[in-house]
Amino acid sequence: MTSDRSSSPARPDLPGPRSPATPYRMTVTTALTHSDAVALADQRIGAWLKQEGCAEPPPVSPAPDDPDGPAERLRLGGRILLDRDGGPLRSGPAPDIPDGALPPGPATGRYTRRRLRSPAPHGTHQLTLTVATDTGGPTWVRLEAEYQASGTGVRTPSKVPVPEIARSLLPLLDASDGPVPVHNGPRVITAAEVDALIDELCDPGRRLPTVVASVPANLDLDEWLAGTVRPLCHQLPGLATLYVLDPSARTEFNVALEYHSVYGGAVRTYLPEVDPASRYDGARHPVMPRRRIEEDLRRAAGLIAREPRRLAAELPLPAPLAAVPVLRVPPVSRRADLAAGQQADADLAHEHQQDSSDEQARADELERVRHSLRHSRRREHLLRTESEEQYATLRHVSAQVRVLAGRFCPGSTSGQAQAKGPSADGPGRLAGQAHAEEDGAPGSFAEVIDRLTEFPLLTFTGDQKAALALDGLGTCAGWARLTWEGLTALQEYAVAAVRGEAGGDFKQWCEHTPDGCHHFPPRKAVRGESQTVFSHTKWKRERMLPVPECVDSSRRAFMGAHLRIGGGRTAPRLHYLDDCSGSGRIYVGYIGLHLTNTRTN
């Protein structure tokens, strides 16, 4: 039911993540009638049951006024449960669910549902297939595959693999996302089809992400498609639409979408609501470079599937599917073979029999949360775009002010600092504060920490105490200024990197800083620690710094890349992890005095 030949089986006896496995959710439309779609679904379920050694379930017994027949539970082969129900859609609307999530007035459509439950190591596989149709609208098909662990102390798989039934249903249904076909594998785009692809990306009705792959200039398209792109997209059927740009299409595509380009063997995931005219919108659509793909193709495939899975879980349901009532677990049908396990069936039915109104209330609440989350994400994107545009304008105006001030009163900053004379803080600190005040950079690490939100693509995950302790040292203003310059450069690099336009890592960015961007000294940008540090258990542990679970399930990652803040054996360092090609962010795990190495001992 949820088998995937390329996935390793779960090993509950080994240490590992114990969070629930990420489910698989596919939502598509088909031009088939409701009854034809249901017939195809029943056919594929029957074929899967035969593979499992079970007899096909008996046909549904429709009533004159109910073509789906009564709700029933069948036990098949002594170990697989099949629930079947159907009927009219709920009349709506549901309270507080916006955007017409439920059809108003009396119900005008119907639904049919099949749910399969089969045993798995230390848990249960559950697959639910729902077909819903509203009068005058398309036929919606939703497939959900979940792994339900039997306890809390066992290891679970990180995600449920793509069910084989999904791969077989997509071509039979001629599935689509609005007007766009949804295929199992990537389709090659030629120059003549670029305009249609751009229209698809910008279509406000698009629900699924679109994954677009480019081909390296020195490789044959068919070779790259078969050896790299198809394995990379193996986890995406039903979750995204997939394309590969041939060389002629790549040029036209990138000219038309200068802020959302993809080239050089990179693969880009375009989320819904692309704004091709916005430079800042490009940061929303993650890019995976060729280097990351070729380093570990299997891991890259998992990373590529992460955003489509998140989107599938968060998107509100289409109105017909939102109007499907929750499944009320029926008792086991006597048409099934009850020679063995009658008491077990009765216990299981009793265990899952819940009050339908309470369960429906929870389902409606979940749908309200989905709508609220979608609205909040849209609002966040709008505000972030406005903030970045205002920040760019501010930087431009500040640069003009500095140039004009320098022409009007050259050398005024140093003169003011000298006029004040020595103080308890020393002339170096006063000069640093004056310089910081002039261009808006923080004069202390307390202010650096307080203003980190000005960098939308940087996330500070470390302990603030190490950074704040630097304010007690005599040269902190200069250090704070240099740290701010480094963070500013990292932010500008991250904006380019998520668009696939950085041209390399951060050190290369510093060596070839684009015009108009902040320059950070390349000699102060270090790619990684020495082999001595990496192989020293204690020193390496100091550099295992916090990251979100989406980056590493252990919530720790080695941050060898760092910025030198000042000189000397104990001068501060800023350690970071560049995950622009994964989560689309840079994680700053440490700002503080130099961590332990051979020179600090």
Side-chain angles (χ1 to χ4, degrees), residues 437-450:
E437 183 176 354
E438 178 184 312
D439 64 2
S444 69
F445 281 93
E447 190 178 354
V448 169
I449 296 298
D450 188 54

Side-chain angles (χ1 to χ4, degrees), residues 16-278:
R18 287 167 171 77
S19 55
T22 305
Y24 171 89
R25 294 184 173 96
M26 176 187 84
T27 304
V28 295
T29 59
T30 176
L32 297 177
T33 65
H34 186 99
S35 56
D36 286 345
V38 172
L40 270 178
D42 284 340
Q43 180 189 47
R44 300 317 306 160
I45 289 174
W48 179 83
L49 288 170
K50 281 185 177 180
Q51 290 179 357
E52 296 296 311
C54 301
E56 286 194 42
V60 174
S61 301
D65 58 343
D66 185 4
D68 292 294
E72 59 181 349
R73 163 167 287 179
L74 310 175
R75 178 174 289 278
L76 306 170
R79 61 188 186 91
I80 295 176
L81 292 178
L82 171 63
D83 297 325
R84 304 193 294 199
D85 74 328
L89 298 176
R90 288 187 298 149
S91 58
D96 303 325
I97 296 185
D99 300 335
L102 293 182
T108 56
R110 64 188 179 110
Y111 77 96
T112 303
R113 176 167 43 206
R114 306 288 185 256
R115 187 175 76 175
L116 282 164
R117 291 170 59 86
S118 61
H122 295 266
T124 302
H125 285 310
Q126 177 172 292
L127 185 141
T128 307
L129 193 151
T130 307
V131 179
T133 310
D134 198 7
T135 302
T139 300
W140 288 90
V141 179
R142 182 168 173 87
L143 183 68
E144 301 173 86
E146 303 167 87
Y147 173 84
Q148 299 174 341
S150 57
T152 57
V154 297
R155 179 179 176 179
T156 62
S158 60
K159 58 181 175 292
V160 177
V162 179
E164 289 303 321
I165 192 172
R167 300 182 192 275
S168 62
L169 267 179
L170 283 173
L172 294 174
L173 291 170
D174 287 331
S176 61
D177 176 28
V180 181
V182 180
H183 300 288
N184 271 325
R187 186 170 71 85
V188 176
I189 295 293
T190 64
E193 299 170 298
V194 167
D195 287 344
L197 175 57
I198 294 174
D199 289 343
E200 174 186 330
L201 295 180
C202 301
D203 187 344
R206 179 168 64 97
R207 290 173 54 89
L208 298 183
T210 300
V211 175
V212 179
S214 60
V215 181
N218 59 338
L219 288 184
D220 177 70
L221 186 150
D222 293 334
E223 177 186 349
W224 183 251
L225 179 63
T228 301
V229 179
R230 290 192 189 281
L232 187 68
C233 297
H234 184 69
Q235 301 180 27
L236 293 177
L239 299 173
T241 52
L242 316 170
Y243 299 102
V244 180
L245 300 173
D246 75 6
S248 61
R250 181 189 64 235
T251 302
E252 292 200 17
F253 183 86
N254 289 331
V255 168
L257 294 179
E258 59 173 321
Y259 302 135
H260 301 74
S261 58
V262 59
Y263 53 87
V267 176
R268 189 160 200 165
T269 302
Y270 295 90
L271 302 179
E273 302 178 6
V274 171
D275 183 357
S278 171

